Amino acid sequence: MAFEAMFQPIQLGKLTIRNRVISTAHAEVIATDGGMTTERYVKYYEEKAKGGVGLAICGGSSVVSIDSPHEWWSSVNLSTDRIIPHFQNLADAMHKHGAKIMIQITHMGRRTSWHGNDWPTLLSPSGIREPIHRASCKTIEPEEIWRIIGDFAKAAGRAKAGGLDGVELSAVHQHMIDQFWSPRVNKRTDEWGGTFEGRMKFGLEVLKAVRAEVGDDFCVGMRLSGDEFHADGLSHEDMKQIAKYYDDTGMLDFIGVVGSGADTHNTLANAIPNMSFPPEPFLHLAAGIKAVVKAPVLHAQNIKDPNQATRILEGGYVDMVGMTRGLIADPHLIAKIKMDQVDRIKQCVGANYCIDRQYQGVDVLCIQNAATTREYMGLPHIIEKTSGTRRKVVVVGGGPGGMEAARVAAERGHDVTLFETSDALGGQITIAAKAPQRDQIAGITRWYQLELTRLGIDLRLATRADEAAIKDLAPDIVVLATGGRPFLDQHAEWGYAENSDESLVVSTWDVLSGHVEPGKNVLIFDSICEFAGVSAADFLADKGAKVEIVTDDIKPGCAAGGTTFPTYYRSLYEKEVIMTSDLMLRRVYREGDALVAVLENEYSGTQEERVVDQVVVENGIRPDEVLYYGLKEQSRNKGQVDLEALYAIQPQPCLAEEGDGFLLFRLGDCTAPRNTHAAIYDALRLCKDF
């Protein structure tokens, strides 16, 4: 009853949705075979239907025309009748679980890339280049305009023929429709520009053609921005006028509203708010549009919690809430609420690993749920009990890989002991959460703590596992997830010493964990360019230090992700952090009470120096392999993993072999440094068959 507002049915046109929760359109980057919704695609959405979602709008940026390429995003291709039987499979999979399924359709215009596959000529209303994709384009001609309007209609017809429940016209993030709307992109003086009605004409003709194609009994909506956040773009008042203009036609069954444009790196970071943003930061924009339209309003942006969703719905701000990334983290979110298992929801932490991968053109994955989009491979969201022997499993290391290994083994019904040297779980997650913009990542650990407690795992914190302690438990399986240590000794010239009082450099771990006091004038050298370097810079500047972050890569934080690095840059520029690229750290030496860092430009070979009181180095980590090599020769499998079985998501052959002693596996960073998702993925695909 506490979440009753979420479970109220709603009518969109003539379509009844069983509850008020949507998975909104996003590019999954998994539509293969020429943009078809193949098995992986279907299974990904079916899991959400099993989990209780009311409506899924799939296929963010699904294209209607052959000159709007689908290959860059592996998005759905609605420009061909080939898609129809694939849609039928998708619709059947969703409908049998009581969920509705729609697809977002669009022409990307200038918002894509022209190089590759058919090498299309990109189009926009006035031939103005788009910054994000660095995409040059031509000015669209009237004949091309009418052709694309017809393509929208044909695409909608294919969606209907395939049994989908509706289409959403994308007029957000600078796709073709809102490229015509925006005065910063549309400079035309003909009937397709100039006046308000001229700029609205393309979208109106698309809507009329789609409605004529699919009739009144098929759901048609539109997604738009509530404010482009550009001084020369469309303001909130402009968007209210536009939303009312299309709503007044009576042809829209719903309107989806998000905040921000997305045609620059800075605005893109707003469009998919990461953990540095407050909850539902742009709800006011959706509420503003709801106040002037009659059609139901849908909104999604940083709504991750059922209490949040309920408050929004009960307040009447919008009619449906999108919990898209929440459903990527846990597709069974709705079912868990219904079963009074709210504490078991794997809540999205806003890491944006999913969307940042999308903007790299690779498949959407979740930082903490390795089963998401891998359902077709047999990776389970719900772990089944073993029907075989109950084993004694010892896990060493309480970081993400170790916690997942312990959870999965316990869910299988095994007797699990987890050793962790520190007095708390989390590993590197705990360190990352110390940074000003990364605190919410601790939610990953909180979920595991609850699950490990529920499963009754023998949790031994502040306990260093050695060979004797492990063998004393007579384990059948030992899983090592001992992580690693900062790799500061790669170059002797850096002056690293294991005794920090003698060392000339310290690690980002030292700084973020509070192991060393922050300096007042600090140089950070970051050779990795992911989160740790920029997090340390943000942290130190927050403490009042004067900070310069230097990298030998193209720019600091360049590997942090397209929706993530801009939020760091906002903070670093505000705190006057100096960001320097193309310099490598050659050596560090002491001069009196100061440290001198010698930097070298790889391209010119010239050197320069910085005089500081602290040098922080982020150079990744080296695996902690001591315990592994101590146990390896005593194990039945000599610590080896059958890679063919692992990659095929099959049981390790050694699990079926008889013999004395224990099996030994290692995963995560104590094998090779990667990331949180990799550690959790290794743990799930290895331990699900214990």
Side-chain angles (χ1 to χ4, degrees):
M1 294 298 292
F3 307 106
E4 185 177 359
M6 294 177 66
F7 292 94
Q8 294 298 312
I10 186 172
Q11 201 78 14
L12 302 183
K14 298 182 180 178
L15 187 68
T16 303
I17 312 297
R18 63 182 172 183
N19 59 48
R20 300 295 178 106
V21 179
I22 335 157
S23 173
T24 55
H26 60 285
E28 309 88 354
V29 202
I30 56 174
T32 54
D33 186 25
M36 300 296 108
T37 54
T38 51
E39 183 186 12
R40 182 179 187 183
Y41 199 100
V42 171
K43 293 290 186 185
Y44 167 61
Y45 277 100
E46 185 178 10
E47 198 70 34
K48 300 184 188 194
K50 289 179 185 176
V53 75
L55 168 65
I57 304 177
C58 70
S61 306
S62 294
V63 302
V64 303
S65 302
I66 62 172
D67 57 353
S68 181
H70 62 86
E71 296 89 354
W72 184 254
W73 303 105
S74 293
S75 59
V76 182
N77 180 11
L78 287 95
S79 70
T80 170
D81 289 345
R82 278 190 64 217
I83 194 63
I84 294 173
H86 291 275
F87 277 164
Q88 290 166 343
N89 293 335
L90 175 62
D92 290 346
M94 299 297 284
H95 293 157
K96 72 181 180 183
H97 300 291
K100 304 300 183 185
I101 181 72
M102 301 185 194
I103 191 165
Q104 183 185 87
I105 62 174
T106 191
H107 192 293
M108 302 292 286
R110 69 178 188 151
R111 187 175 163 74
T112 185
S113 295
W114 49 261
H115 49 88
N117 296 291
D118 295 321
W119 288 63
T121 300
L122 303 186
L123 309 167
S124 76
S126 300
I128 297 173
R129 177 180 184 266
E130 196 234 33
I132 282 278
H133 294 90
R134 306 179 183 91
S136 56
C137 50
K138 64 168 282 190
T139 299
I140 191 170
E141 301 171 54
E143 294 83 356
E144 294 167 318
I145 291 174
W146 286 110
R147 169 179 59 81
I148 291 169
I149 290 168
D151 289 343
F152 268 98
K154 292 173 188 174
R158 292 178 182 116
K160 183 176 182 179
L164 303 191
D165 299 295
V167 294
E168 177 184 72
L169 306 178
S170 180
V172 69
H173 299 164
Q174 284 280 312
H175 291 204
M176 183 70 89
I177 291 176
D178 49 316
Q179 286 170 33
F180 271 95
W181 291 350
S182 181
R184 69 193 303 265
V185 181
N186 187 350
K187 307 295 184 181
R188 301 175 76 100
T189 56
D190 63 3
E191 62 183 308
W192 304 99
T195 65
F196 174 81
E197 288 75 15
R199 289 185 288 113
M200 297 302 108
K201 182 174 180 178
F202 177 76
L204 179 62
E205 294 298 336
V206 166
L207 180 56
K208 287 162 59 177
V210 165
R211 188 53 84 185
E213 177 74 22
V214 298
D216 294 333
D217 60 344
F218 191 66
C219 197
V220 177
M222 178 179 283
R223 196 179 204 194
L224 46 78
S225 171
D227 190 324
E228 287 193 320
F229 296 153
H230 284 303
D232 59 346
L234 297 166
S235 69
H236 183 44
E237 291 304 313
D238 292 331
M239 293 312 306
K240 287 165 66 175
Q241 181 187 11
I242 290 170
K244 187 176 187 308
Y245 176 85
Y246 286 98
D247 183 63
D248 284 348
T249 67
M251 291 187 283
L252 286 178
D253 295 314
F254 66 89
I255 296 173
V257 181
V258 298
S260 189
D263 58 335
T264 65
H265 293 293
N266 190 38
T267 53
L268 176 63
N270 301 327
I272 307 96
N274 67 13
M275 65 178 71
S276 69
F277 284 78
E280 76 263 358
F282 306 123
L283 178 62
H284 65 288
L285 300 177
I289 286 177
K290 179 173 167 55
V292 300
V293 300
K294 298 182 288 296
V297 172
L298 289 50
H299 178 60
Q301 272 175 318
N302 224 18
I303 303 172
K304 300 180 287 194
D305 178 84
N307 293 294
Q308 226 185 324
T310 299
R311 173 177 50 79
I312 290 167
L313 291 168
E314 287 180 345
Y317 298 104
V318 295
D319 301 290
M320 293 188 77
V321 291
M323 303 183 74
T324 311
R325 283 175 292 167
L327 291 161
I328 289 173
D330 193 338
H332 293 257
L333 183 154
I334 305 301
K336 288 177 180 177
I337 296 171
K338 293 179 75 172
M339 293 187 292
D340 196 24
Q341 296 178 353
V342 174
D343 287 344
R344 293 198 60 196
I345 294 171
K346 188 179 295 187
Q347 187 169 310
C348 172
V349 297
N352 273 16
Y353 186 66
C354 52
I355 199 73
D356 283 340
R357 284 181 61 84
Q358 174 205 312
Y359 277 96
Q360 295 165 357
V362 292
D363 51 346
V364 164
L365 300 170
C366 177
I367 192 171
Q368 60 181 320
N369 188 344
T372 293
T373 75
R374 293 193 180 102
E375 294 85 359
Y376 77 112
M377 300 170 71
L379 272 179
H381 289 275
I382 298 173
I383 309 296
E384 295 183 357
K385 297 290 185 192
T386 181
S387 57
T389 305
R390 188 168 182 262
R391 295 180 163 110
K392 176 62 185 179
V393 179
V394 173
V395 180
V396 184
M403 292 188 292
E404 177 73 346
R407 179 191 77 89
V408 174
E411 288 278 26
R412 292 284 285 160
H414 300 305
D415 178 11
V416 181
T417 298
L418 172 61
F419 289 94
E420 167 54 41
T421 304
S422 73
D423 59 2
L425 293 171
Q428 292 181 56
I429 292 173
T430 302
I431 298 172
K434 303 291 186 182
Q437 298 197 51
R438 300 278 283 168
D439 59 314
Q440 289 184 41
I441 202 166
I444 296 175
T445 304
R446 284 194 294 271
W447 182 80
Y448 276 115
Q449 287 173 322
L450 290 170
E451 287 296 285
L452 299 187
T453 299
R454 178 183 65 82
L455 291 164
I457 286 169
D458 178 10
L459 182 57
R460 303 188 184 186
L461 298 176
T463 305
R464 183 174 294 279
D466 56 22
E467 294 177 43
I470 292 169
K471 288 189 286 187
D472 188 57
L473 291 169
D476 299 299
I477 300 173
V478 178
V479 179
L480 300 183
T482 50
R485 59 178 177 79
F487 192 17
L488 301 186
D489 52 353
Q490 181 177 359
H491 300 290
E493 296 88 350
W494 290 351
Y496 170 72
E498 198 164 340
N499 184 330
S500 61
D501 291 336
E502 300 174 5
S503 185
L504 301 183
V505 299
V506 298
S507 71
T508 54
W509 290 18
D510 291 328
V511 169
L512 291 169
S513 66
H515 181 67
V516 300
E517 286 293 318
K520 298 186 183 303
N521 182 11
V522 184
L523 176 85
I524 298 175
F525 174 67
D526 182 7
S527 70
I528 304 299
C529 288
E530 295 184 354
F531 299 96
V534 285
S535 290
D538 202 21
F539 176 86
L540 287 164
D542 213 37
K543 300 293 183 183
K546 177 183 176 183
V547 180
E548 179 180 8
I549 181 169
V550 174
T551 182
D552 53 347
D553 212 322
I554 56 174
K555 63 179 180 179
C558 61
T563 68
T564 303
F565 86 79
T567 63
Y568 276 108
Y569 275 34
R570 292 173 190 173
S571 182
L572 296 180
Y573 277 124
E574 181 182 348
K575 296 169 186 174
E576 299 184 339
V577 171
I578 299 169
M579 292 186 277
T580 306
S581 59
D582 299 332
L583 294 179
M584 62 183 71
L585 181 64
R586 277 302 181 203
R587 67 188 183 100
V588 180
Y589 64 91
R590 192 176 295 281
E591 191 173 82
D593 293 333
L595 295 172
V596 180
V598 180
L599 306 170
E600 182 177 302
N601 188 299
E602 179 185 2
Y603 304 102
S604 68
T606 56
Q607 291 189 345
E608 50 192 271
E609 295 181 342
R610 302 288 191 272
V611 180
V612 295
D613 58 36
Q614 190 172 66
V615 177
V616 180
V617 171
E618 172 53 40
N619 191 44
I621 67 173
R622 293 288 280 175
D624 182 350
E625 302 173 310
V626 175
L627 187 56
Y628 171 75
Y629 281 109
L631 293 170
K632 176 179 176 178
E633 293 305 318
Q634 304 171 56
S635 67
R636 282 165 42 202
N637 63 330
K638 298 296 185 284
Q640 299 307 295
V641 173
D642 186 305
L643 294 181
E644 289 191 5
L646 184 74
Y647 296 169
I649 320 295
Q650 296 299 312
Q652 289 292 299
C654 59
L655 292 169
E657 298 170 358
E658 298 294 330
D660 296 329
F662 58 88
L663 297 172
L664 175 66
F665 303 102
R666 60 173 172 162
L667 51 83
D669 286 352
C670 77
T671 304
R674 289 177 289 167
N675 64 12
T676 299
H677 175 86
I680 292 173
Y681 182 31
D682 277 356
L684 177 58
R685 60 180 171 172
L686 177 67
C687 301
K688 73 177 181 65
D689 297 306
F690 281 1

